[in-house]
Amino acid sequence: MISAANPILTTHWLDQVNWSEDGLAPVVTQDHNTGRILMQAWVNREALSLTLSEKRAVYWSRSRGKLWRKGEESGHVQTLHDILLDCDGDALCYVVEQIGGIACHTGRQSCFYRRLEESGWQVTDAVIKSPDAIYAGGRKSHE
Amino acid sequence: MISAANPILTTHWLDQVNWSEDGLAPVVTQDHNTGRILMQAWVNREALSLTLSEKRAVYWSRSRGKLWRKGEESGHVQTLHDILLDCDGDALCYVVEQIGGIACHTGRQSCFYRRLEESGWQVTDAVIKSPDAIYAGGRKSHE
């Protein structure tokens, strides 16, 4: 874990990520306490840099074309524990503490709440909090 | 877990994946026993279908432009435990048993063996088996 008191001063670490042609990299987010995979999203250079400096998960929303500070609307902030990089340098992992215990915009713990069964995709997780209750403005789409 | 004795006969479940314009979806692979994230890769419709029918992780290699049966060269097959789908339907998770305990082409347990520290990316995992020993033909790049 990187302490806030001793930040990385150079941006060399950002250059070591093999960004795609559109400047993105996939990131998978894992719960530090349970090990559960919470979500998969995307980052650009700025989002990754902000994740380190703000000690919370920041993504690049491809659908909205803007930075997405996870929890900015829902309050379900992901405080940063670690950032991992894979062998090819083209995929990242955020290890986080999930505030509120809800990562998904549907009100579930994880976005990966469907499992393939004989009958097709089956929902494995109950809704902990309804999207209506999470999003004051009625927002129900993915952040 | 889906039993081999009772396969899903329709391909409806494949249609419920929101494939990208180039027909791919990212997949994150998690170790069933340890919960560790082993790798991040890509699948197309055929790779995903084969993963179910062959009960082992199959990917689409973007660099080689062909199907990639994980372990076909290294022997480090990933036997399938579960397939998960996320809320948006555009990301998958393979939950697997990692044969040989090595997922990475560098000979490490996981491809995510670098962690961001004050000094930059630091290697967290030892090499369990050298790539020379894994790949008879001297192959050392990502499968």
Side-chain angles (χ1 to χ4, degrees), chain B:
Chain B
M1 179 62 183
I2 299 146
S3 71
N6 192 11
I8 294 173
L9 296 177
T10 73
T11 58
H12 184 61
W13 66 283
L14 290 166
D15 299 329
Q16 290 179 278
V17 177
N18 288 325
W19 302 103
S20 67
E21 277 183 19
D22 50 3
L24 301 178
V27 56
V28 56
T29 305
Q30 186 174 35
D31 187 297
H32 170 62
N33 296 309
T34 66
R36 186 164 186 188
I37 296 174
L38 298 176
M39 53 184 285
Q40 190 276 330
W42 300 84
V43 287
N44 62 5
R45 192 179 168 96
E46 186 181 7
L48 183 57
S49 179
L50 288 170
T51 294
L52 177 65
S53 61
E54 299 186 4
K55 306 289 180 223
R56 62 180 281 185
V58 181
Y59 304 98
W60 176 257
S61 170
R62 295 185 304 171
S63 59
R64 293 190 289 162
K66 56 182 276 197
L67 285 171
W68 165 31
R69 285 173 172 79
K70 174 66 183 171
E72 61 193 354
E73 296 180 42
S74 63
H76 297 148
V77 170
Q78 295 172 334
T79 57
L80 186 68
H81 190 83
D82 272 315
I83 303 176
L84 310 179
L85 182 65
D86 81 344
C87 51
D88 294 330
D90 61 2
L92 293 144
C93 177
Y94 288 169
V95 183
V96 304
E97 189 116 13
Q98 177 62 63
I99 304 301
I102 296 173
C104 187
H105 74 289
T106 64
R108 294 177 173 89
Q109 181 185 39
S110 165
C111 293
F112 288 93
Y113 62 79
R114 288 185 284 181
R115 186 170 58 206
L116 192 59
E117 304 283 356
E118 315 294 343
S119 52
W121 300 107
Q122 295 298 316
V123 172
T124 56
D125 283 48
V127 171
I128 298 171
K129 190 174 178 179
S130 77
D132 282 343
I134 295 173
Y135 301 100
R139 176 180 179 77
K140 294 175 193 172
S141 61
H142 207 292
E143 283 181 287

Side-chain angles (χ1 to χ4, degrees), chain A residues 41-106:
Chain A
W42 300 85
V43 286
N44 61 5
R45 192 178 168 95
E46 186 180 7
L48 183 56
S49 179
L50 288 170
T51 294
L52 176 65
S53 60
E54 300 185 4
K55 306 289 179 221
R56 61 180 283 185
V58 181
Y59 304 98
W60 175 257
S61 170
R62 296 185 304 170
S63 60
R64 293 190 289 161
K66 55 183 275 196
L67 285 171
W68 164 29
R69 286 174 169 80
K70 174 66 181 171
E72 61 194 353
E73 296 182 42
S74 64
H76 297 147
V77 170
Q78 295 172 334
T79 56
L80 186 68
H81 191 84
D82 271 316
I83 303 176
L84 310 179
L85 182 65
D86 81 344
C87 52
D88 295 329
D90 61 2
L92 293 144
C93 176
Y94 287 170
V95 183
V96 303
E97 188 117 11
Q98 177 62 62
I99 303 301
I102 297 173
C104 186
H105 74 289
T106 65

